Amino acid sequence: GGSIGELTDRQKEILKLFVKNNKLTQRGLSKELGINISAAQSHIDILKEKKVLKRVGGTRGYWKVTSIQKQN
């Protein structure tokens, strides 16, 4: 099992965006980060692979961040 410690700072930053807004789209993410949509998509794919980001409820659903370090 992977731990959050294996994530890059960029990936942690992205997870925080999903925590703040669980309806964030690829387009929204790409805007936030100033990257293109395919780059945003690959970030999402990696996070899903690492099992820290999960899609709930398909197209009309939302993102669930399954593990993240608690920031005090």
Side-chain angles (χ1 to χ4, degrees), residues 44-66:
I44 289 170
D45 289 340
I46 289 165
L47 292 169
K48 286 197 295 197
E49 233 166 73
K50 285 178 177 278
K51 309 260 194 287
V52 290
L53 186 65
K54 190 170 127 194
R55 187 68 187 173
V56 179
T59 325
R60 301 220 173 274
Y62 61 93
W63 294 102
K64 183 176 168 58
V65 175
T66 53

Side-chain angles (χ1 to χ4, degrees), residues 29-41:
L29 182 62
S30 68
K31 262 205 183 104
E32 282 279 342
L33 299 176
I35 59 180
N36 63 37
I37 287 180
S38 62
Q41 179 58 59

Side-chain angles (χ1 to χ4, degrees), residues 5-49:
E6 294 166 12
L7 298 179
T8 65
D9 287 345
R10 183 62 138 179
Q11 289 164 346
K12 289 175 189 167
E13 184 191 347
I14 291 166
L15 280 182
K16 281 179 195 151
L17 292 173
F18 281 114
V19 169
K20 255 195 323 210
N21 175 9
N22 66 9
K23 301 277 193 187
L24 195 62
T25 59
Q26 288 161 14
R27 183 173 279 119
L29 182 62
S30 68
K31 262 205 183 104
E32 282 279 342
L33 299 176
I35 59 180
N36 63 37
I37 287 180
S38 62
Q41 179 58 59
S42 62
H43 277 303
I44 289 170
D45 289 340
I46 289 165
L47 292 169
K48 286 197 295 197
E49 233 166 73

